[in-house]
Amino acid sequence: ERKNSEIVFSVCDTGCGIEEAEFEKIFQPFRRGKSAGKRSPGFGLGLSIAKKLASLLKGEIKMESEVKKGSTFSLKIPIYEE
């Protein structure tokens, strides 16, 4: 019999936050939230790669955000114990 546990990694910031309407879009390749602006570096691949890796590890990535207050991203992955 295998027992299931999980580990959660969370990263928080106090940045500009992300509008709720953008939540699903920012996990798509080459997409960035409106609040990122044109001056922010990057190609919009980081969150899509993170979501794919979470899926490969049979886990999930979740996000909570409030505009003008910041965001929290959490990666939850299972740990299998015998």
Side-chain angles (χ1 to χ4, degrees):
E1 178 181 338
R2 296 177 86 168
K3 297 179 184 177
N4 294 344
S5 298
E6 59 190 24
I7 187 166
V8 179
F9 298 94
S10 294
V11 177
C12 302
D13 70 36
T14 56
C16 56
I18 300 165
E19 295 177 20
E20 192 171 341
E22 300 287 310
F23 282 15
E24 289 301 315
K25 293 177 186 176
I26 64 168
F27 287 99
Q28 296 172 3
F30 302 106
R31 298 293 301 263
R32 298 177 349 153
K34 291 179 186 176
S35 57
K38 293 183 179 181
R39 289 190 229 161
S40 297
F43 293 102
L45 290 172
L47 289 174
S48 66
I49 291 170
K51 186 173 183 176
K52 182 66 175 176
L53 286 172
S55 176
L56 290 171
L57 293 168
K58 304 208 182 320
E60 62 183 335
I61 189 166
K62 291 195 173 186
M63 181 186 103
E64 295 177 12
S65 187
E66 190 173 339
V67 176
K68 297 184 181 177
K69 294 203 175 184
S71 304
T72 300
F73 292 87
S74 298
L75 169 65
K76 183 177 6 176
I77 54 176
I79 299 173
Y80 298 102
E81 302 174 14
E82 295 196 26

